[in-house]
Amino acid sequence: MSRSALYSPKQQRGMGLLGSVVLAAGVVVAGFLMATAVKEFRKYDQFIEVRGLAEEVVKSDKASWNLSFSVLAETPQAAGASWTKQLEKLESLVLGMGFEASDIRRQPVTIFENVNPNGGFVEPGKRWRAQGGFVLETAKVDAVEQASLKSDVFLNEGILIESSFIQFYFTDLNSIKPRMLKAATDNAKEAAQTFAADSGVKVGALKTATQGLFSISAPLGDYGGENTVMKKIRVVTKVQYLVE
């Protein structure tokens, strides 16, 4: 005997209706779960991308002072000897300005013959030229800045400086990185909140964050800065926030 024969036609119709209801309920539940999943997926897929900026002006902690000069003589040997004597005098003057001997790094001397470009006569005492100098590297930034203004001291001692070139550096970037990255991230979130408010959404969790390069420039410009004691440190971060 078949299983359906155990039930009356009325009972069979009721069971069929119940099965349809259960099937429909299952479709509704499945549809709800799918809709929820799609909604959550779209929620994760929607984000705001902004950039945060942080700038800070700091003082250089290292300085480099390049000094060079030349002397003239009748022979290459005399030119070399005269140059060495002048170099020792120049080093003594610089050390008297408050620097250490370990701060000085001598540069190679170059000795060459003077030639008159017009083919004219060159005085015997000026036939050979010795040229060179030294680089002073120190953490005494203020002392270098002040000493560079005293070129008359060298001139009074018979030393004619041909080149005086100073560069200032900031080398302790790691000490300010954490607070600058935080400031850049805070700036990015503020921009994201402004954008979200204008778009009628809310800023959610952080999705991704990318640190840009730190740049060092002059305080009032985006380039150069080698000759300025004060430096402008700048970093830009790219941040993505989910939206709600």
Side-chain angles (χ1 to χ4, degrees):
M1 179 181 295
S2 67
R3 188 174 180 181
S4 61
L6 298 175
Y7 300 97
S8 66
K10 183 176 181 180
Q11 289 174 323
Q12 291 179 17
R13 287 194 298 273
M15 292 178 64
L17 178 61
L18 177 61
S20 299
V21 170
V22 171
L23 178 60
V27 171
V28 170
V29 171
F32 172 77
L33 293 176
M34 182 177 294
T36 302
V38 170
K39 182 179 179 182
E40 290 300 318
F41 174 76
R42 288 177 178 173
K43 178 180 177 182
Y44 180 81
D45 191 52
Q46 294 176 344
F47 62 88
I48 296 174
E49 181 177 289
V50 291
R51 282 173 170 76
L53 169 67
E55 292 183 339
E56 188 169 331
V57 176
V58 299
K59 186 175 182 179
S60 298
D61 55 12
K62 293 288 171 54
S64 162
W65 188 13
N66 191 317
L67 286 166
S68 68
F69 65 97
S70 64
V71 297
L72 298 171
E74 187 173 358
T75 65
Q77 294 80 5
S82 178
W83 181 86
T84 300
K85 185 177 180 180
Q86 290 283 70
L87 177 65
E88 291 173 350
K89 184 185 293 186
L90 178 60
E91 288 177 340
S92 179
L93 291 171
V94 169
L95 293 177
M97 295 176 178
F99 301 105
E100 305 295 330
S102 57
D103 297 334
I104 295 176
R105 178 166 50 87
R106 291 186 177 185
Q107 299 295 302
V109 60
T110 302
I111 300 176
F112 54 93
E113 187 175 11
N114 276 331
V115 177
N116 191 321
N118 299 321
F121 176 75
V122 177
E123 295 180 31
K126 297 181 179 179
R127 182 177 176 183
W128 293 90
R129 178 188 296 269
Q131 187 176 49
F134 64 78
V135 177
L136 175 75
E137 297 174 330
T138 178
K140 298 178 180 179
V141 175
D142 294 331
V144 170
E145 189 176 28
Q146 292 299 317
S148 66
L149 303 177
K150 301 176 181 179
S151 59
D152 57 319
V153 173
F154 308 137
L155 187 60
N156 293 338
E157 293 295 327
I159 304 173
L160 181 60
I161 301 296
E162 293 180 330
S163 175
S164 176
F165 183 66
I166 297 177
Q167 289 181 300
F168 296 101
Y169 306 93
F170 178 72
T171 63
D172 196 18
L173 192 59
N174 287 335
S175 67
I176 65 172
K177 269 186 178 181
R179 68 170 179 262
M180 287 198 68
L181 288 174
K182 183 180 183 305
T185 304
D186 291 345
N187 180 253
K189 188 167 186 178
E190 183 179 347
Q193 289 172 337
T194 301
F195 183 80
D198 294 339
S199 304
V201 295
K202 292 183 179 180
V203 175
L206 177 68
K207 184 182 179 185
T208 62
T210 304
Q211 173 192 317
L213 295 175
F214 280 81
S215 64
I216 303 177
S217 61
L220 301 179
D222 293 331
Y223 303 98
E226 293 86 357
N227 300 325
T228 61
V229 175
M230 304 307 293
K231 307 289 185 184
K232 179 175 69 176
I233 314 297
R234 187 175 190 265
V235 66
V236 177
T237 57
K238 182 172 72 174
V239 184
Q240 293 180 346
Y241 289 98
L242 299 176
V243 298
E244 297 176 353

